[in-house]
Amino acid sequence: AVAFAGDSQVVAGCADRGIRRWRIEDKQQQGATIQLGDDCRSLAVSKDGRWIVSGDHGKKAIVWNADTHKRACEFTGYDGPVTGVDISSDCTKVVAGCHGTTGTARIFGITSGAELLPGPPISHRNIRGVKFSPDGSRFATVSNDWGFRVYSTHDGKVLFDSGTQHSSDTSDVVTPLAWSSDGQRLFVATKGKITCFNISKSSSSDWSIHESQARVSIASNGIFIACSAGKSVSLWDCMSHEQIGTNITHTAHINCIALSPCGGYL
């Protein structure tokens, strides 16, 4: 998994069970490698750069101090690998979801570790991604085989449910969800296309992407979407859904992508 820490550093969860942070300008690793103990499955960095959150194959979500690389708190009790994590824009909450027959999603205070939603954890089978809306009032989960849902961050109430349609059909190392900057539209990636849902109007539209067979990962800065599939990445305007420029190619299959906050780095 990959994420940006501001516009100057990139963070990666690696196959050797470590998390590393690099400075982009001089390519130097910052601080010691964070040792997870399990394979990394998902990663997020808070907007203020203070926190790194990891989800791992060992059914845990962990908050790390980004400066000291010390463990701040740990969330357990999941029934499968934690395949989606995100941090709210005000840097106070973590949402984490797992891939399992129950597929729970839970929200915690990032410093207190306290569970914030009332009642039992939200159940959405085989979660592949979670994402807070830009204002933090809602969050979305997407399943491998059970579509996507939008919930209230306040009480966990379901605000939108796609049913079994628009499932992610993806692997656990990609991010198939992105919000528009106004929080009114949700983009869900599936093989061969991206679907844009207008949540308030319960309407949708989709467009074909550059690759129809490979699994898709997307990232967005609210203005454009970066979409990886196979060995290439295409860029798309969030409003017009028109492609921007030509495809960016890579020598190997791309598993995950991230955009820096300013949109200058991919």
Side-chain angles (χ1 to χ4, degrees), residues 42 53-62 74-86 94-108 115 121-122 124 127 130:
S42 50
V53 177
S54 62
D56 63 42
H57 191 71
K59 306 178 183 180
K60 300 185 301 296
I62 303 172
E74 180 178 306
F75 314 127
T76 59
Y78 290 96
D79 73 331
V82 177
T83 47
V85 294
D86 196 26
V94 175
V95 60
C98 76
H99 185 272
T101 54
T102 303
T104 53
R106 299 150 74 193
I107 294 181
F108 302 89
E115 196 156 355
I122 287 169
H124 194 191
I127 291 173
V130 297

Side-chain angles (χ1 to χ4, degrees), residues 123-186:
S123 178
H124 194 191
R125 188 177 70 186
N126 294 334
I127 291 173
R128 287 305 195 188
V130 297
K131 190 71 71 175
F132 278 112
S133 63
D135 66 1
S137 66
R138 293 167 289 168
F139 68 97
T141 63
V142 65
S143 164
N144 219 39
D145 51 7
W146 207 255
F148 76 91
R149 295 174 187 164
V150 177
Y151 309 83
S152 164
T153 302
H154 174 66
D155 57 12
K157 180 181 177 182
V158 177
L159 303 177
F160 187 92
D161 187 345
S162 74
T164 56
Q165 292 184 333
H166 308 291
S167 301
S168 68
D169 185 29
T170 190
S171 63
D172 58 1
V173 292
V174 308
T175 305
L177 284 175
W179 287 90
S180 62
S181 56
D182 61 6
Q184 298 304 307
R185 289 165 294 139
L186 184 67

